[in-house]
Every structure is written in structure tokens, then in C-alpha cells.
Amino acid sequence: LNDSTYTDITHGQNSKRLNIRATTKGGKTFKLKYKTLNNNSIRIKNQDTIPVKLTITAKQPLEEKGWYKTAQVLARGLMLVRNVSVTYRNSYALTLPGLRTEIGDAFGQKSINGLLSPGLDFAFGAIGDGYVDKAKRNGWLMDNDSSITTPVSTNATEDLQIRATLEPVRDFKIDLNASRTVNKSKSIQFMYAGMPTTQSGSFNMTVISAGSAFASHGNINNNYSSDPFNEFVKNIGTVRARLEDSYSHMKYPVGSGAQFEGKPYDPANGGVDQYSADVLIPAFLAAYCGGNASSVSLDIFPSILRMMPNWSITYSGLSKLPWFESKFQSFNLRHSYKSVYSVGAYNSFPNYMAYMGDRGFILDVTSGNPIPSSMFNISTVSISESFSPLIGVDMTFLNGLTTKVEVRKTRNLNLSMTSVALTENYSDDIVLGFGYKLKDLNLFGAKNIQSGEKKSKKSSKKNGKNNESENSASKNNTRVGGVSHDLNLRCDFSYRMQNALNRNIQTGMTTATNGSTAYKLAVTADYTFSRMLTLSGFLDWQKNVPLVSTNSYPTTTADFGISMRFSLTR
């Protein structure tokens, strides 16, 4: 040691975890003050002038100790959930024609018969469908005026979105997303006794139907046999029996007719229709979204508890392995899944007689007898599922070549209560993409003159050889005036196999209604000629080969061309 402010020592241990020992000539231990600068050097802070012997050795890396690995696993588990967001939106709109109240001075209120009209709840928007009853009861509606024919209309929307990001290990990211949206509209005829009400709306919610996504669709030799569809047909009887049992202790409500009102429910007068929405929808969800028909919920609109997350997964850790690092700038794996159950549109039955919640009776159009039914007339429901991609790889090589490979799979299931049929649409895609940028490519003698580059002949002569060398360098450099003459090349190829099946639920017969094989090749090139001029070329080739329809034939189309873009604003 010396009497300077500090002394830097290089030890070459390639570690910041060190065992450092300082001893004097007499073998005594010397107390050393130091700080670590980097993996291979330390700084001695002692200001004594004394010769010492330093012994520096690296400690065992923490990664090799069992407790450290355990602590890392525990810490990673605690940090698994990186962020969570929940968004809930609830909106309500009420259109109330024929309101006879007058506008008051405070919050639009006026005292009528000792009551504030139209009410503070109305002024601050804290109302619901019950406000129509309140307004009618207090005489605020012109319900006896024959000129008022427009009904009260309400619209309510509930939208729930839940998102979360998980990172189980480094460079492995999982994005989860769950949603549920309910739209309800009502039309209330307040001018008539009993205020007849009709309802309509739509519904969608994320589900998981991946369990049936890879099941065989069958072929023409086995009538396109499908295990999920066979399970669906089997579930119909089970669900119908459960619904019949739920009505067994009911009595026919008011409006059923004099011969039925107040009497116990009797299936002989008209039982649960096995092809009604009340039966088909629960059986459909149990078969394609997983579940047991004996215990699956009988709700047409599943509750929040049945909302399931969809996901998107990315992993970029392979690029850090030695073999990948020697060949790729980046190497990413991707996977994404989305499945949504939807009730596109529904309406309430005009002759519905409520008994318990949304379950009651309607009058059969053929016999006129009351039959069990929910209050909603639903014509179609669907499940839209996509693996986009099922597996995807994005690669960037060391030479700048970018490559994309994707395998995609989609499925759309449409259940129609009108035609009592299930339509299945499938498609399988393979996508290949390549991209490359040729930097500073001097095509067609592309040059740009940099402002301020011109020099006088006199100055050129004075510079002599130095000026000649500068001119030679400028000839070999195409990036002049700040413009890089890059040629961008892109090539994408896709293959798609798609087909459609119509499965009749009553007969069990399946018909292939559509199918085709499609090929597509797209090639593009862009070249920056100058600051203001860009040249482009493209080739788009497509071929479609029908597999089922006899009314169409193979088609091939090819488009190609070049374009020039000239901008005066650059």
C-alpha cells in the first residue's frame, strides 16, 4: 500500500464475490478497506504506507448453492403475476315519452301533491326499470292520451374485462384475457293495462372449448362421425329430463287458460320440447366446452363464474442459448388462443307467463296449451374459436434475414334452433414469411448531392491528394445526403384448407356443404431511390381449388405491377 488516495488492484477472478486477505511481512492480518469496481478489479481505500501481501480468491457462485436456487424459485413464484387489471362498465339509458311533469327551479324538480317530480333519483340518473312503475303510480305519465303511442324504451349494458400478465420464468410471458358482455333492451307499453313488456338483447363471453378442437370431423364413409357431436346429441335427453323434473312441482300460472290455471303441471298437456333453446344450448355447451350434462348449468346466459380466460403466450429465451445465439439475432415462439360463446340476438316471447325467474310457460302455437319454456326466443348461438397461431416462430438471422412460420387453426360452431342443425366451419392455415433488407444498394446509379458539398476548383487544387482521396471515398459511399438506398424484399406464402359441415340434429345426418384449398403467394419490393422518389413492385398470386361444390371450379389469379411515389414535401 502507499499513501495515495486509493490503489486499484486487478485480480482476474471474474467475480464480485471475493475472499480477500491482507497480511504484513510478520504474518499479521491487516484490516483492509476496499470496494469492488467490477468482476476483475477492486479499489483499496487504505492510506497507509506499508507493504502487505494480498490473497484474493473467488467465492462459490450463489447459483451453485441449494438455498439460493430455492430462494429464486420462491421469489419467481411470488412475482409470477406481473399485473392485473379489472374493468367493469355499467350503462343504463331510459327514454320516457309522455312525461307530464313540469320543470322546477332546483335540480329540475317541482313539488306536485307533496312529491318532488320527476324525482331526485331521475335527476341524478339513479334509476332503473322500476321508475316506470313509479311514474305511472304518481300520475306523471300521459297514459290516457291516445296520441301517445311510443313505448318506454330502456337499454342496459354490462361489460366486464379482466386482464393479467404472468411470467413463470424469465422471457416466458403469458397474457390472460377474460370478458363478459350483456346487452338488454326493453320496450314497455305503459299506456295499456299491465304494461306489456318485450325484451331483446345479445350476449357474449369468453370460454374454453379447446378440449373438442382437435377431435376428428370424420369423412363421407362414416357420415362425418364426430365424437363431440355424438356427445351433444346424447346430452339432449339428459338435459330435457332435468328440465322436466324442475317443472314437476309447478302449477300453471294465470293466463294459461281456465282449464289449466292453478292446476299442477302435467307433461301430458305439453312437456319440455327437446329441440327448444332451453335444452339444446346447455347440451351444446356441455359437449363442446367440457362438462357433464347431468350437472351442467341450465342457464342460457352463463354466469360470471363460468367465464374462462383466453391466452397469448410468447417465449424468447431460446436466443440466449449458445447454438441459437451463434445463428440468430432473435428467436421467438408464439401461441395464442381465443374462444367466445355468443348469443347473437334474442327476443322475449309475447305470450310468456312467468312463474319462477326467467322460467315459466308459453302457449303452444299448435295446441294452444301452456308448455314449459324460458322467456326468451333464441334462434342461434355460436362458439368462435381460433388458435392464431397454434404455433408461431419469428426468427431474425445474423445476416438480417427475417423469417416467420405460423400454423393457425379456426373453428366456428353455429347452433340453429330454427333449423335444428349445427353448422361447423373449419380452417387450417400454414403461413411462411421472409423479409430481407439490402442496405445502401446503388441501383440505376442512384446518387444524392449533399448540400454544402460543392467546392470551388481553387479549394480543390489546394487540397491536392487529400481532396482526391475524399472524392474516391464519396464514389464508394451510396449514403450521400443522409439517404440510405435500401432495397426491402418481402415474400409471404400461405396455404389454407377449409370446409363446412351441416349436421342435422333430428336425423343425425351430416352433409358437407363447402370446402376448398387455397394457396397464396405475395412478393413485394421497395427501393428508396432518393429523398423524394421511392420505387415499388409487387406480385400477388392466388389459387383456389374447391373440394365439395360441383357448381364451382378451380380458379387462379395473378396480379403484378410497379409503382413510383414522388413526394415534394421531403
Side-chain angles (χ1 to χ4, degrees):
L1 302 177
N2 55 44
D3 57 359
S4 61
T5 304
Y6 57 79
T7 302
D8 290 344
I9 303 294
T10 301
H11 53 76
Q13 295 295 322
N14 194 29
S15 175
K16 290 185 178 181
R17 289 174 40 79
L18 304 170
N19 287 316
I20 301 178
R21 183 184 180 191
T23 55
T24 63
K25 288 185 176 180
K28 294 183 178 180
T29 301
F30 182 82
K31 187 176 181 180
L32 202 64
K33 299 177 182 178
Y34 69 94
K35 67 176 291 188
T36 302
L37 298 178
N38 51 53
N39 284 356
N40 291 301
S41 61
I42 61 174
R43 175 168 292 173
I44 307 298
K45 295 184 176 181
N46 299 73
Q47 297 184 6
D48 303 301
T49 303
I50 181 175
V52 296
K53 178 182 178 182
L54 291 179
T55 302
I56 303 176
T57 58
K59 295 181 179 179
Q60 182 183 8
L62 289 174
E63 290 77 4
E64 297 180 5
K65 296 189 175 183
W67 67 266
Y68 183 76
K69 294 180 179 179
T70 302
Q72 277 190 318
V73 172
L74 293 176
R76 175 60 64 177
L78 295 175
M79 295 186 296
L80 172 65
V81 180
R82 294 309 175 98
N83 63 70
V84 176
S85 66
V86 179
T87 304
Y88 177 73
R89 181 173 62 89
N90 190 326
S91 62
Y92 181 83
L94 169 67
T95 302
L96 190 63
L99 188 66
R100 66 171 75 247
T101 59
E102 299 178 12
I103 302 300
D105 297 329
F107 301 107
Q109 306 296 309
K110 188 172 183 178
S111 179
I112 300 178
N113 298 326
L115 296 174
L116 290 178
S117 173
L120 291 176
D121 53 350
F122 186 89
F124 290 97
I127 57 174
D129 295 343
Y131 182 81
V132 181
D133 294 324
K134 175 183 176 181
K136 187 176 180 67
R137 186 173 60 252
N138 293 331
W140 297 343
L141 298 177
M142 294 183 289
D143 48 357
N144 296 323
D145 190 339
S146 60
S147 64
I148 303 298
T149 58
T150 305
V152 173
S153 62
T154 67
N155 184 270
T157 300
E158 292 185 24
D159 183 31
L160 176 63
Q161 301 282 338
I162 302 176
R163 294 181 175 86
T165 300
L166 311 180
E167 193 171 345
V169 295
R170 187 173 298 174
D171 302 320
F172 186 72
K173 185 177 180 182
I174 303 174
D175 292 316
L176 301 177
N177 176 48
S179 64
R180 185 177 186 270
T181 304
V182 183
N183 291 303
K184 296 181 180 179
S185 298
K186 287 186 178 181
S187 178
I188 306 173
Q189 304 284 344
F190 68 92
M191 65 287 295
Y192 300 114
M195 295 196 300
T197 301
T198 57
Q199 297 187 42
S200 61
S202 61
F203 176 89
N204 65 73
M205 185 179 76
T206 54
V207 295
I208 296 178
S209 53
S212 60
F214 300 94
S216 173
H217 315 320
N219 53 60
I220 193 172
N221 296 323
N222 58 12
N223 189 33
Y224 298 98
S225 177
S226 166
D227 289 341
F229 180 73
N230 294 337
E231 183 70 18
F232 169 39
V233 174
K234 179 182 176 183
N235 290 344
I236 292 176
T238 304
V239 173
R240 182 182 181 277
R242 291 178 59 195
L243 280 171
E244 281 284 5
D245 184 64
S246 69
Y247 278 90
S248 60
H249 303 292
M250 291 187 181
K251 295 181 179 182
Y252 290 109
V254 176
S256 304
Q259 59 179 347
F260 297 110
E261 286 184 10
K263 295 181 178 179
Y265 166 70
D266 184 359
N269 299 323
V272 175
D273 183 0
Q274 64 176 338
Y275 298 124
S276 66
D278 300 339
V279 175
L280 292 181
I281 293 176
F284 172 66
L285 292 175
Y288 287 92
C289 294
N292 192 323
S294 300
S295 58
V296 68
S297 172
L298 299 179
D299 292 333
I300 297 173
F301 309 104
S303 67
I304 294 177
L305 298 178
R306 295 186 65 189
M307 180 175 63
M308 300 300 290
N310 298 160
W311 58 81
S312 177
I313 302 174
T314 58
Y315 181 63
S316 57
L318 290 177
S319 59
K320 296 181 180 179
L321 298 178
W323 187 88
F324 287 90
E325 191 174 15
S326 65
K327 293 175 175 59
F328 302 97
Q329 295 182 27
S330 63
F331 193 97
N332 301 322
L333 300 177
R334 295 182 293 110
H335 167 72
S336 179
Y337 177 77
K338 183 177 182 179
S339 182
V340 178
Y341 164 68
S342 301
V343 180
Y346 63 86
N347 296 280
S348 58
F349 286 105
N351 58 3
Y352 174 73
M353 296 165 285
Y355 185 87
M356 184 175 60
D358 292 339
R359 202 166 298 284
F361 295 84
I362 62 172
L363 297 179
D364 184 66
V365 294
T366 303
S367 64
N369 294 345
I371 59 174
S373 174
S374 65
M375 68 183 300
F376 300 115
N377 181 16
I378 299 175
S379 58
T380 60
V381 298
S382 65
I383 293 177
S384 298
E385 180 184 59
S386 65
F387 295 87
S388 184
L390 177 62
I391 182 66
V393 183
D394 295 328
M395 300 168 283
T396 301
F397 291 84
L398 295 179
N399 61 359
L401 175 66
T402 60
T403 304
K404 177 181 72 174
V405 180
E406 287 186 354
V407 177
R408 302 173 184 170
K409 188 178 184 66
T410 61
R411 178 176 65 159
N412 292 299
L413 305 171
N414 294 281
L415 174 64
S416 172
M417 268 59 67
T418 305
S419 58
V420 194
L422 176 65
T423 301
E424 304 179 3
N425 293 275
Y426 301 91
S427 68
D428 296 289
D429 299 65
I430 298 177
V431 179
L432 302 176
F434 303 92
Y436 190 67
K437 176 185 287 189
L438 294 172
K439 296 183 178 181
D440 298 330
L441 182 64
N442 187 6
L443 292 177
F444 318 116
K447 292 183 180 180
N448 282 311
I449 305 300
Q450 185 177 8
S451 59
E453 190 179 44
K454 293 183 179 180
K455 298 181 180 181
S456 64
K457 293 182 179 180
K458 184 177 179 180
S459 175
S460 178
K461 291 180 180 179
K462 288 182 178 180
N463 291 335
K465 293 183 179 180
N466 291 335
N467 187 55
E468 292 178 2
S469 61
E470 290 178 3
N471 291 336
S472 176
S474 65
K475 292 180 180 179
N476 295 325
N477 186 10
T478 59
R479 184 175 296 192
V480 183
V483 177
S484 178
H485 301 290
D486 297 338
L487 177 62
N488 294 303
L489 301 174
R490 184 74 198 176
C491 178
D492 294 289
F493 174 79
S494 64
Y495 165 83
R496 165 173 284 194
M497 172 74 77
Q498 58 185 5
N499 57 72
L501 302 174
N502 183 274
R503 300 184 184 275
N504 190 299
I505 299 173
Q506 292 176 304
T507 64
M509 295 298 296
T510 299
T511 305
T513 59
N514 194 9
S516 64
T517 302
Y519 307 87
K520 182 178 180 180
L521 175 67
V523 181
T524 60
D526 298 307
Y527 179 66
T528 305
F529 187 79
S530 68
R531 288 189 306 112
M532 296 180 290
L533 181 61
T534 302
L535 303 177
S536 302
F538 72 91
L539 169 64
D540 191 352
W541 177 85
Q542 298 183 51
K543 183 177 182 180
N544 190 286
V545 181
L547 302 178
V548 177
S549 177
T550 58
N551 298 324
S552 58
Y553 45 86
T555 59
T556 302
T557 60
D559 299 313
F560 63 91
I562 58 174
S563 64
M564 179 177 65
R565 185 177 61 191
F566 188 75
S567 176
L568 297 176
T569 60
R570 294 185 178 180

